Amino acid sequence: MNNRVETFRGNRIFLGCAYWAFVLYVFVPLILMVLMGFKDSNFIGFPIRSWTLDWYKGVFADAEVLSTFGYSITIAILSTLISIMVGTWIAVLLEGRKFWGRAAIFGMTILPALVPGIISAIAFRIYARYLGIEPGMGAIIWAHAVHNVPFVVLVIMARLSTLPKSQTEAARDLGADPLVSFIRVTLPYLVPAIIGASIFCLLLSFDDFVRSFFLGGYEPTLPVLIFAKLRSGMSPEINAIATFALVLTAAIGLWAERFTRRMNKER
């Protein structure tokens, strides 16, 4: 009995140490990035002898940075709307149904998430030129939407697998056709999954560098702008921009997590 207690305590200590090591591994670089944005110098690095808010004030005063933020958010929203509509339709088509070619459709749907980003970006660039699509917002939205669809399909299919069949069968027994049954029964049940998938797609699109770089036009997205600034040297301005993006994405993620948890409790 004593050996089991000691083993249990040893496992707890080991898991606790591993957990806090992982937390430090993830959060220490982020904390350092935020702190460097307060450095009163043109270059990042320790030690920090004096502090300033000028770099963060400069983010809100820089028209190029604000325009790039708006441009990136617009692309993220539009690509997310497209991926949610297409992904939900494919998930409803595939989940709970058996038909010839189902495995092939599922495999083709998931493929964009498995292809390495650089290969995917090159392929999109070649195909966009073949279709006559000019580099710019439209091409980026198209590429981001295709890349995000697999994640929407996986999330929606996981939610659909838990939907009690008795609910849709009851709707059919009461005279509802498939469309009405989907709108009145299935779609409300999918709302938490749709919101979660939407937030995930928003963050993926907002942070996507490779596809935005290969398919972008003259106006850069935020990751491309940061990359361009990095080429001229490491400046605390970059840390301030990255911190602003970090706070924005973290706030969206936390809001989505609380919102979906509240919806699940209400159900």
Side-chain angles (χ1 to χ4, degrees):
M1 184 65 180
N2 292 333
N3 291 335
R4 290 183 179 180
V5 173
E6 291 177 0
T7 302
F8 177 73
R9 289 178 179 174
N11 290 337
R12 288 190 60 183
I13 294 173
F14 173 77
L15 291 175
C17 293
Y19 170 77
W20 286 110
F22 177 76
V23 169
L24 292 174
Y25 174 78
V26 172
F27 285 100
V28 167
L30 297 178
I31 294 172
L32 293 177
M33 179 195 71
V34 175
L35 291 178
M36 286 299 167
F38 293 99
K39 185 177 181 181
D40 189 8
S41 172
N42 291 326
F43 303 97
I44 64 173
F46 285 104
I48 301 178
R49 294 187 173 88
S50 57
W51 304 79
T52 181
L53 291 173
D54 291 344
W55 299 111
Y56 287 96
K57 293 178 182 177
V59 171
F60 295 97
D62 193 331
E64 181 186 19
V65 173
L66 295 178
S67 174
T68 303
F69 263 102
Y71 184 66
S72 299
I73 291 172
T74 302
I75 290 174
I77 292 174
L78 294 177
S79 64
T80 296
L81 290 175
I82 296 172
S83 59
I84 288 294
M85 289 187 291
V86 175
T88 302
W89 178 79
I90 295 175
V92 172
L93 173 68
L94 296 177
E95 179 59 33
R97 290 183 172 87
K98 294 182 179 180
F99 55 89
W100 186 86
R102 180 183 182 277
I105 294 175
F106 180 78
M108 292 176 62
T109 302
I110 301 301
L111 186 61
L114 304 178
V115 176
I118 184 67
I119 297 176
S120 173
I122 294 173
F124 276 121
R125 181 61 185 250
I126 295 173
Y127 194 46
R129 176 173 293 184
Y130 175 77
L131 295 177
I133 301 175
E134 294 295 327
M137 178 183 284
I140 298 174
I141 291 173
W142 166 57
H144 287 191
V146 173
H147 179 255
N148 291 343
V149 163
F151 303 101
V152 177
V153 171
L154 293 175
V155 173
I156 300 298
M157 287 183 68
R159 181 69 174 176
L160 279 173
S161 64
T162 64
L163 174 64
K165 293 183 179 180
S166 58
Q167 294 187 12
T168 55
E169 292 173 354
R172 298 287 182 88
D173 292 339
L174 292 173
D177 58 32
L179 179 60
V180 173
S181 176
F182 174 77
I183 295 174
R184 300 292 296 274
V185 178
T186 306
L187 189 58
Y189 188 80
L190 293 178
V191 168
I194 291 174
I195 293 175
S198 299
I199 298 301
F200 189 69
C201 291
L202 276 170
L203 299 181
L204 278 179
S205 178
F206 188 77
D207 294 335
D208 194 312
F209 167 74
V210 179
R211 277 164 283 271
S212 299
F213 181 79
F214 274 82
L215 294 167
Y218 294 104
E219 188 171 1
T221 62
L222 184 64
V224 176
L225 177 66
I226 293 175
F227 174 75
K229 289 181 175 294
L230 281 172
R231 297 178 65 181
S232 60
M234 297 291 291
S235 166
E237 179 190 15
I238 299 172
N239 295 77
I241 297 173
T243 300
F244 186 32
L246 174 66
V247 172
L248 179 63
T249 54
I252 293 174
L254 291 174
W255 173 84
E257 192 275 335
R258 294 187 63 181
F259 184 79
T260 53
R261 181 182 296 181
R262 186 169 65 250
M263 290 194 63
N264 288 328
K265 286 182 179 179
E266 291 176 354
R267 288 182 172 275

